[in-house]
Amino acid sequence: PDGVEEYVDFLLSAGRVGEAAERLADLLNRSSFVSPRGQTRHTMWLQLCKLVSEHPTECAGRLRGEAIIRGGLTEFTDEVGHIWTSLADFFIRQAQFERARDVYEEAATTVLT
């Protein structure tokens, strides 16, 4: 695992977003992983969420984007607003506008302020 974060950066700079997201997900699935850079799991998960929501077609077939993003709703309760909009963005970028609308409706009924 040494150098994996640098490898993810390299993949991103090379435009290989799907593979970078997959490597990042692998890191997050290892409960024993500690970032040599000092990044928190929260920071790394937000990066993964951003990659998956902004590049759903590149990540398709490698990762279950909706499941990853929805997983954050229970794990990172301080970021639910951001996560709901990321999930809607995930569907919008795939031209699944009705699903995006459904996500916004679901968010409106479940988010407490």
Side-chain angles (χ1 to χ4, degrees):
D2 289 344
V4 176
E5 290 173 287
E6 289 80 11
Y7 185 55
V8 168
D9 291 342
F10 166 75
L11 290 170
L12 290 172
S13 69
R16 295 167 61 182
V17 177
E19 190 175 347
E22 187 176 25
R23 296 289 166 247
L24 196 53
D26 288 343
L27 287 178
L28 289 167
N29 284 332
R30 296 181 194 159
S31 60
S32 62
F33 178 75
V34 177
S35 169
R37 293 182 179 175
Q39 291 188 76
T40 64
R41 290 182 62 76
H42 182 259
T43 302
M44 293 172 68
W45 187 87
L46 286 176
Q47 181 184 12
L48 176 61
C49 180
K50 181 177 179 178
L51 291 175
V52 169
S53 67
E54 291 181 359
H55 304 277
T57 54
E58 291 92 333
C59 296
R62 294 177 178 271
L63 299 169
R64 294 179 24 224
E66 181 179 3
I68 288 171
I69 298 169
R70 281 190 180 274
L73 291 169
T74 55
E75 191 169 341
F76 303 108
T77 55
D78 60 327
E79 296 279 346
V80 291
H82 176 75
I83 296 168
W84 279 115
T85 56
S86 292
L87 183 58
D89 188 38
F90 172 78
F91 289 118
I92 289 168
R93 290 176 187 264
Q94 297 177 80
Q96 295 182 20
F97 303 113
E98 288 185 24
R99 297 240 2 231
R101 185 203 61 224
D102 292 344
V103 166
Y104 283 124
E105 287 178 4
E106 185 180 354
T109 60
T110 59
V111 173
L112 302 173
T113 57

